[in-house]
Amino acid sequence: MATGFLALGLLLLAPIWGQGNPLSSFPGSIIYLRQGNIWTFTPSTGVRRQLTRDGGYHNPSLADDGTIGAVQTVAGRSHFVTIRPDGQKRAFPPGEIINLVHAELSPDGSLFAFAYVVVTPLGPNPARVGLTFSDRWAAAGVAGGSWGRFSSSYYHARWMTAERLILSGGGAYPYLVRGAKSGWEGEGSPYQFEIPGLRYETYDIARNGARFLVIGATYQIVGYEEQITGWHAIAYRPARPEERAVAEFSLEEMRACQGDSAVRFGGGKCAVGWIPEGGFPLEGEPQGGAISPDGRAMVFADARGLWVTDGMGPSMRAYVVDPQGSYPEWSPFTR
């Protein structure tokens, strides 16, 4: 029977480790925010580095060639910016008055996907998801064409590879494929599934598709209103053949269930084939999270700072690597 995720001990570590670094086997860099500037943390060495000093950044991401992508407030407006390893910086102001909610540079550095709110004289319209090349803006619903398939049903786009990204929202989580496989997978996506008992979900996925990281809120119904009872970061993995009967998961009970089980908190069912493998309750609202490119660990942030796990599974532990860190992304590039 599958085991659910366990809330295990969280440990505070010094920013630089000597012997016994529990994260020494993890490659790449974690790029994140600290007081409005972009920093990196290298798990294998424990070294933190500050990369920007002009402030106003959010949603940093790191392409495989070391190029940074981020949103920055410039002259009161949200701009998407790129910063190359040689320090060359470019800002891409939008062609309309919009507020960027989230943006992320693709692994090959050629595209950025973003969610945004259009500002009108009557106030902001609902968030929409756009996709464009990094040398120009082409917001969905404005540029039209092949990118016009996006709608307000989706937000918080996250890249799996340069060819595929995951979109939260709309009750299902399909992928968009571009390039030689250009087209909308929709319900045909092999990774589509739903998570029960959660609200305000955001996702990340390993490049090989082996694991998902899901961050969301548990809730209860009081009268006719939903009240949040807690926030959680949960890792999922594909079920083994003997676990194919796993169909339901209760955050309240912190375990996966098989067969005909009792009514579960929040209702709903997990798609058969994906089960919760491990996770942690968050303190206050989440401040971002990501899974490592190889799917072996995850990073997340809450009111206590930036946390990195020493692996995946029911026995994994998490360590604070920066008490002021938030909104991480994990790249195979070491910077």
Side-chain angles (χ1 to χ4, degrees), residues 154-180:
Y154 299 99
Y155 57 91
H156 205 86
R158 302 294 295 270
W159 292 98
M160 176 180 174
T161 67
E163 290 286 335
R164 177 174 277 159
L165 54 80
I166 185 170
L167 303 176
S168 300
Y173 307 93
Y175 285 77
L176 178 78
V177 178
R178 69 171 184 87

Side-chain angles (χ1 to χ4, degrees), residues 96-102 114-120 122-130 139-142 150-156:
E96 58 180 332
I97 306 300
I98 72 173
N99 176 37
L100 286 176
V101 178
H102 173 268
F114 57 94
Y116 63 98
V117 173
V118 177
V119 180
T120 72
L122 299 179
N125 285 336
R128 296 184 288 175
V129 173
V142 177
F150 292 102
S151 73
S152 60
S153 298
Y154 299 99
Y155 57 91
H156 205 86

Side-chain angles (χ1 to χ4, degrees), residues 121-276:
L122 299 179
N125 285 336
R128 296 184 288 175
V129 173
L131 180 71
T132 184
F133 293 96
S134 61
D135 61 352
R136 63 180 175 85
W137 279 92
V142 177
S146 61
W147 309 125
R149 300 171 184 263
F150 292 102
S151 73
S152 60
S153 298
Y154 299 99
Y155 57 91
H156 205 86
R158 302 294 295 270
W159 292 98
M160 176 180 174
T161 67
E163 290 286 335
R164 177 174 277 159
L165 54 80
I166 185 170
L167 303 176
S168 300
Y173 307 93
Y175 285 77
L176 178 78
V177 178
R178 69 171 184 87
K181 300 179 182 179
S182 181
W184 181 255
E185 283 187 293
E187 295 182 359
S189 170
Y191 300 99
Q192 181 182 357
F193 69 108
E194 299 181 11
I195 298 299
L198 290 176
R199 290 293 183 266
Y200 312 110
E201 307 100 322
T202 58
Y203 283 67
D204 195 23
I205 182 172
R207 292 197 179 187
N208 57 10
R211 285 188 176 90
F212 283 90
L213 170 63
V214 183
I215 297 176
T218 50
Y219 67 97
Q220 62 183 0
I221 304 297
V222 178
Y224 294 97
E225 297 182 354
E226 292 181 357
Q227 292 187 358
I228 292 176
T229 58
W231 294 90
H232 302 265
I234 309 168
Y236 284 76
R237 65 169 173 80
R240 294 185 291 268
E242 64 270 21
E243 297 170 331
R244 290 293 179 181
V246 174
E248 298 185 7
F249 174 58
S250 168
L251 283 169
E252 186 178 51
E253 297 180 0
M254 300 288 185
R255 65 185 181 88
C257 303
Q258 288 182 313
D260 296 327
S261 56
V263 175
R264 298 301 166 191
F265 177 77
K269 291 185 177 181
C270 292
V272 176
W274 292 90
I275 65 170

Side-chain angles (χ1 to χ4, degrees), residues 47-68:
V47 173
R48 298 183 305 193
R49 294 180 55 207
Q50 184 173 355
L51 301 182
T52 68
R53 297 186 181 276
D54 51 341
Y57 292 96
H58 63 94
N59 292 130
S61 52
L62 186 63
D64 291 353
D65 65 355
T67 299
I68 296 170

